[in-house]
Amino acid sequence: QVQPVESGGGSVQAGGSLRLSCATPGYGPSTITMGWFRRGPGKEREGVAVIDTDDETRYADSVKGRFIVSQDKSTNSLFLQMNNLKPEDTGRYYCAADGRIVVAVALRHPEGFNYWGQGTEVTVSA
């Protein structure tokens, strides 16, 4: 059983930046999709950004131009650089690995991912 481990969350003011990291200890070479999802206060879980082994990416409309997803294939690590953060970005961010789903639709189908981390909290104050 693979347990992704997120880090890098915290509290920032609007306009600030954070970089989230996700380690996947024990996970073998990835041939599929990884991604970030989040759940804000009183909101449903939503896809934030996904990436496949060809480094093709997709982003939620709300974060385009502000967030950048990347990966280190040598360590199967995933990253999310979050810039110009807004209060509506507040929430718990989850790393998802082993996505048996093409990146083009992965944001809308979290059930396509087999391994999930416990999440890391991000709080953005106005």
Side-chain angles (χ1 to χ4, degrees), residues 5-80:
V5 180
E6 303 96 337
S7 61
S11 297
V12 296
Q13 290 188 325
S17 298
L18 285 172
R19 179 177 169 83
L20 303 184
S21 299
C22 173
T24 56
Y27 192 49
S30 173
T31 59
I32 35 191
T33 303
M34 299 180 72
W36 292 96
F37 291 76
R38 69 184 180 189
R39 187 188 299 274
K43 299 180 181 179
E44 295 186 354
R45 180 175 55 182
E46 64 172 340
V48 176
V50 292
I51 187 168
D52 68 11
T53 53
D54 292 325
D55 290 326
E56 184 174 351
T57 59
R58 293 289 189 277
Y59 295 91
D61 288 343
S62 59
V63 307
K64 283 180 181 176
R66 300 188 296 122
F67 289 13
I68 301 172
V69 62
S70 61
Q71 61 186 333
D72 181 341
K73 297 175 188 177
S74 66
T75 60
N76 291 311
S77 297
L78 186 68
F79 307 97
L80 185 67

